[in-house]
């Protein structure tokens, strides 16, 4: 089991930027696949961006050109740089991880990930 900790959320105005960080403190093994999901009130988790150790990156269409995901394989961390934020980007952002290399159809699917953080709130008004 991998403990994941997210940070960097907050309340911002439309058009602003935020950077989220996910880390796996104390975990000494390689995490192959990591991703960011977003969950609104009463909604399912939707995959926003995913990256693996080969730097294969997948984005949800609505964030392409605005969000950038990066992975530090040595540190088992990922960041999500979010720019030109919109109210519809609001939600709890959760970090997900798995020690497998995922098939494309699973990279933005909850089913692809075994471990989850508790999330960090992003509110855009």
């Amino acid at each position: 089991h991998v403990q994941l900790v997210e940070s960097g959320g907050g309340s911002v105005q439309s058009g602003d930027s935020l950077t989220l960080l996910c880390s796996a403190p104390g975990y000494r093994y390689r995490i192959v696949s990591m991703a960011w999901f977003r969950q609104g009130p009463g909604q399912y988790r939707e995959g926003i961006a995913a990256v693996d150790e080969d730097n294969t990156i997948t984005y949800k269409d609505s964030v392409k050109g605005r969000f950038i995901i990066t992975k530090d394989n040595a540190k088992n961390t990922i960041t999500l740089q979010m720019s030109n934020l919109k109210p519809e980007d609001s939600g709890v952002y959760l970090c997900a991880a798995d020690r497998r290399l995922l098939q494309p159809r699973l990279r933005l699917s909850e089913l692809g990930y075994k471990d989850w953080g508790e999330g960090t709130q992003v509110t855009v008004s």
Side-chain angles (χ1 to χ4, degrees):
H1 176 68
V2 181
Q3 180 190 13
L4 300 170
V5 179
E6 303 96 336
S7 61
S11 295
V12 297
Q13 301 291 317
S14 292
D16 284 352
S17 300
L18 273 178
T19 296
L20 307 182
L21 172 68
C22 173
S23 62
Y27 191 72
R28 297 181 296 172
Y29 302 98
R30 187 179 72 195
I31 300 175
V32 176
S33 300
M34 298 183 78
W36 288 98
F37 284 72
R38 179 173 66 214
Q39 187 169 25
Q43 298 181 359
Y44 66 95
R45 294 173 182 173
E46 57 176 350
I48 300 300
V51 60
D52 64 31
E53 64 176 8
D54 297 328
N55 208 36
T56 299
I57 292 173
T58 308
Y59 291 108
K60 178 181 173 63
D61 284 347
S62 63
V63 307
K64 287 179 180 177
R66 299 189 299 122
F67 290 12
I68 299 173
I69 187 171
T70 55
K71 187 176 188 292
D72 187 324
N73 289 326
K75 296 180 180 179
N76 277 336
T77 62
I78 55 171
T79 61
L80 185 67
Q81 297 173 267
M82 306 184 291
S83 60
N84 192 20
L85 283 162
K86 305 175 181 181
E88 53 264 40
D89 294 321
S90 298
V92 176
Y93 281 70
L94 302 107
C95 178
D98 201 276
R99 294 185 67 186
R100 301 168 298 164
L101 194 64
L102 299 178
Q103 297 178 15
R105 64 182 179 86
L106 290 177
R107 288 175 189 155
L108 293 182
S109 170
E110 291 186 77
L111 300 177
Y113 299 89
K114 180 179 179 181
D115 297 296
W116 294 83
E118 295 187 354
T120 185
Q121 177 71 45
V122 172
T123 303
V124 186
S125 59

